[in-house]
Amino acid sequence: MEFRDLKKQYSVLKSEIDAGIAEVLTGARFISGPQVGELEKKLAEYVGVKHCITCANGTDAITLALMAWEIGAGDAVFVPDFTFFSTGECPAFAGAAPVFVDVEEETFNMDPVKLKQAIQTVIEEGKYTPKVVIAVDLFGLPADYTRLRPICEEYGLLLLEDGAQGFGGAIGDRMACSFGDISTTSFFPAKPLGCYGDGGAVFTDNDRWAALIRSYCVHGKSGNDKYNNIRIGMNSRLDTIQAAVLLAKLNAFKEYEVEKVNEAAELYTELLTNSPFALPKIPDGFLSSWAQYTIRLPETINRSILQSTLKAAGIPSMVYYAKPMHLQGAFEGTDSSNADCEVTERLCRTVLSLPIHPYITAEDVKKVCGCLMEYVNE
Ligand SMILES: *Cc1c(COP(=O)(O)O)cnc(C)c1O
């Protein structure tokens, strides 16, 4: 069994993907070919925002947003403590101070109450100026923007949605990657919508920021002239081949993949309901794109022994994430290491992510659940 079965997906979509790649090879416009613009148009339409700018990866996408907002030394950027490293790395890379905020245990996403406390503490201490909140759509579930947005407005902060894991999710009829003043995503192969290498995108309704980001991602170019450089930027573009792969995959993603992965998640939830495991909670009106299906183990269960038992039965599992951001070595000795995040610390001890993807069979989900139940009953 695969944790995320990209081989299976390719076998289903092979003819469309191969044809798309072949077209790029024939046209030989490997950088900024027509497929890139076509993809940006389709992604913006799907998400329901005015601008989509693709770039080299999801980490650059966050950095580009922070560049457009001129975030740097002396600024505080609020980031969940329970996330992938990039979310905290990018503000630190920009010279700002990431301030780590605890998450809600049932959704794994930023806790609005703790966010407000963290903002007030930063204001009282007076060392940094609060500027940005980066909310993460962890494991596919949009963060609680209906509660986060008013806090950003109250304190005059910009909201960045890190939708690297959240693409395809929704709250009501609004799609993930439309909730931030700027939103970002990643097309890393294992993400909900993945390409065959690195890739990313930035989404916004704001014309000025979109123009700045288009410039920053191609060496600070002026308009369409990449040899007239008016800003210090970077080289961060999505390859045309990756755009072709994404165009082929986007159809399947929209037509059935999000639906299928939700069916798999529902089956897990049904089969594990009367177990000692705590299951991921999807609040009313929210839709997850299930980048991960993550359960929480009772503290009495030894996670590594459970993982070995699953592995012996041919079942892969992963620990996302084993370490809170504020305890990462890169932040040692900085103000960012001073975070009080007990929920994140508990999650890091107890979470376990199970195999899930749109092509997993009901038999495989049943096998995983059977193995888990057998383990706890012994
Ligand atoms: C994967 C990921 C990123 C970074 O995306 P890359 O394309 O790998 O650079 C950022 N934030 C989160 C939450 C992620 O999961």
Side-chain angles (χ1 to χ4, degrees):
M1 195 184 304
E2 300 277 336
F3 189 71
R4 203 154 184 100
D5 201 341
L6 297 174
K7 292 177 195 159
K8 178 74 197 289
Q9 185 194 40
Y10 178 58
S11 76
V12 174
L13 304 177
K14 186 177 186 326
S15 58
E16 293 94 316
I17 292 172
D18 287 0
I21 293 175
E23 211 180 303
V24 178
L25 300 186
T26 315
R29 291 189 53 194
F30 299 109
I31 302 291
S32 310
Q35 289 86 347
V36 177
E38 191 190 332
L39 175 71
E40 288 178 341
K41 197 164 160 272
K42 285 195 173 160
L43 291 173
E45 221 168 75
Y46 174 71
V47 167
V49 298
K50 198 165 167 194
H51 304 281
C52 167
I53 304 116
T54 53
C55 62
N57 55 69
T59 307
D60 282 1
I62 299 171
T63 292
L64 285 162
L66 298 176
M67 284 169 85
W69 289 341
E70 295 178 50
I71 300 306
D75 296 335
V77 177
F78 300 87
V79 173
D81 199 36
F82 191 61
T83 180
F84 179 64
F85 190 60
S86 293
T87 322
E89 181 181 30
C90 297
F93 185 73
V99 177
F100 296 116
V101 177
D102 213 354
V103 298
E104 293 186 308
E105 195 147 12
E106 291 198 316
T107 62
F108 308 108
N109 282 332
M110 186 185 264
D111 184 334
V113 175
K114 304 270 177 62
L115 170 64
K116 196 162 171 166
Q117 287 166 0
I119 296 168
Q120 271 162 351
T121 304
V122 168
I123 292 172
E124 278 157 27
E125 288 176 355
K127 188 168 173 188
Y128 301 106
T129 313
K131 284 280 178 72
V132 176
V133 172
I134 307 184
V136 176
D137 302 338
L138 205 74
F139 303 150
L141 178 69
D144 194 346
Y145 295 100
T146 44
R147 286 193 295 154
L148 293 171
R149 174 58 81 179
I151 297 172
C152 293
E153 276 165 13
E154 183 181 345
Y155 292 95
L157 308 183
L158 290 160
L159 177 59
L160 198 166
E161 175 184 6
D162 177 356
Q165 301 182 15
F167 195 80
I171 306 176
D173 54 13
R174 262 187 81 175
M175 298 299 293
C177 294
S178 75
F179 296 109
D181 295 302
I182 298 179
S183 304
T184 61
T185 198
S186 163
F187 304 121
F188 182 84
K191 307 282 175 167
L193 178 64
C195 60
Y196 288 160
D198 279 309
V202 181
F203 300 88
T204 186
D205 281 324
N206 184 294
D207 298 340
R208 193 170 65 85
W209 297 333
L212 277 171
I213 289 165
R214 283 214 180 275
S215 166
Y216 281 130
C217 71
V218 186
H219 308 289
K221 68 176 179 179
S222 168
N224 279 329
D225 185 356
K226 70 172 173 175
Y227 300 107
N228 182 17
N229 311 90
I230 56 172
R231 301 178 183 93
I232 300 300
M234 50 210 270
N235 173 18
S236 185
R237 291 174 291 221
L238 183 75
D239 292 347
T240 313
I241 287 184
Q242 301 305 340
V245 170
L246 287 166
L247 279 168
K249 285 201 189 184
L250 183 60
N251 289 330
F253 189 78
K254 288 194 282 198
E255 274 166 32
Y256 61 86
E257 284 188 351
V258 177
E259 199 178 309
K260 286 281 173 207
V261 80
N262 269 280
E263 283 171 22
E266 275 163 33
L267 186 56
Y268 267 125
T269 299
E270 183 191 319
L271 296 176
L272 294 175
T273 288
N274 295 313
S275 75
F277 306 113
L279 307 180
K281 188 186 159 192
I282 306 303
D284 281 348
F286 284 59
L287 176 75
S288 176
S289 57
W290 296 104
Q292 308 295 341
Y293 189 92
T294 303
I295 61 174
R296 289 174 281 136
L297 313 182
E299 299 242 22
T300 49
I301 288 186
N302 182 317
R303 184 169 59 187
S304 46
I305 297 178
L306 173 56
Q307 282 195 279
S308 318
T309 308
L310 289 168
K311 194 175 173 200
I315 300 167
S317 63
M318 303 290 277
V319 174
Y320 297 126
Y321 295 91
K323 207 182 237 194
M325 292 289 275
H326 76 276
L327 294 179
Q328 290 287 358
F331 296 115
E332 205 178 307
T334 72
D335 292 332
S336 301
S337 65
N338 302 323
D340 184 12
C341 299
E342 57 157 346
V343 174
T344 297
E345 287 178 20
R346 186 160 54 247
L347 287 173
C348 289
R349 289 194 303 270
T350 56
V351 285
L352 187 67
S353 298
L354 306 175
I356 193 164
H357 54 84
Y359 302 90
I360 197 168
T361 61
E363 286 64 44
D364 278 351
V365 173
K366 284 177 194 159
K367 181 177 166 179
V368 176
C369 297
C371 196
L372 285 168
M373 294 309 282
E374 199 177 310
Y375 185 85
V376 295
N377 289 333
E378 266 169 19

